[in-house]
Amino acid sequence: MWILQGVIIGSALAMDAFAVSLSIGLNKGVRLYNKIIYCFSFSFFQFLFSLTGGLSGILFNKYVAAIPSLAGGIVVAAVGIMMILDGIKKKENYRLQKQEMYYILGISVSIDALVVGFTTLNSISKFYHLMEFTIIIGTITFLFCGLAYILARYLKRVVFICKYADYIGGIILIIFGLKMIIL
């Protein structure tokens, strides 16, 4: 039963990473190597943050619950704005290939996993169950990111999407960032 719960929670948490991965996948300047690193980054931080939240959830649940969505939403929206500005300037978006972006985006899409750990996973009584649960979350995130890149490859074949990929990806990130801030 708890494995099914892990799959459901992992799928819900992976939606952030899926949307950002789709935007990254639509960007012409991002290579396969970068996409693989993003998959690992997103899944690692989902795992790490849900584990950290589960271990320390009781202590910090009251004080940290509202801040993570705001911070993550601002970062994701800012990256979306940068993608649109790069599209307007007609230059390749090399920001997504910089090493620090792996960490910045990985952390920003995974902050909600920290909240889930604080509120939901802190009730798991055995450490190895918590590890299994968080490994499921990280694995599902990795799979969702890979699926987003495969989907982006097919979406690039549509002329309209290919022509305006930076704008579409930027708009997706801005909308997603605003959703993280507001909800």
Side-chain angles (χ1 to χ4, degrees), residues 136-148:
I136 290 171
I137 290 171
T139 303
I140 289 173
T141 301
F142 188 85
L143 295 174
F144 272 53
C145 292
L147 180 65

Side-chain angles (χ1 to χ4, degrees), residues 12-38:
L13 289 173
M15 291 300 165
D16 297 1
F18 178 84
V20 173
S21 295
L22 187 61
S23 298
I24 291 169
L26 289 173
N27 191 299
K28 294 175 253 179
V30 180
R31 299 181 321 238
L32 177 62
Y33 168 79
N34 302 111
K35 294 174 186 176
I36 292 170
I37 298 297
Y38 276 114

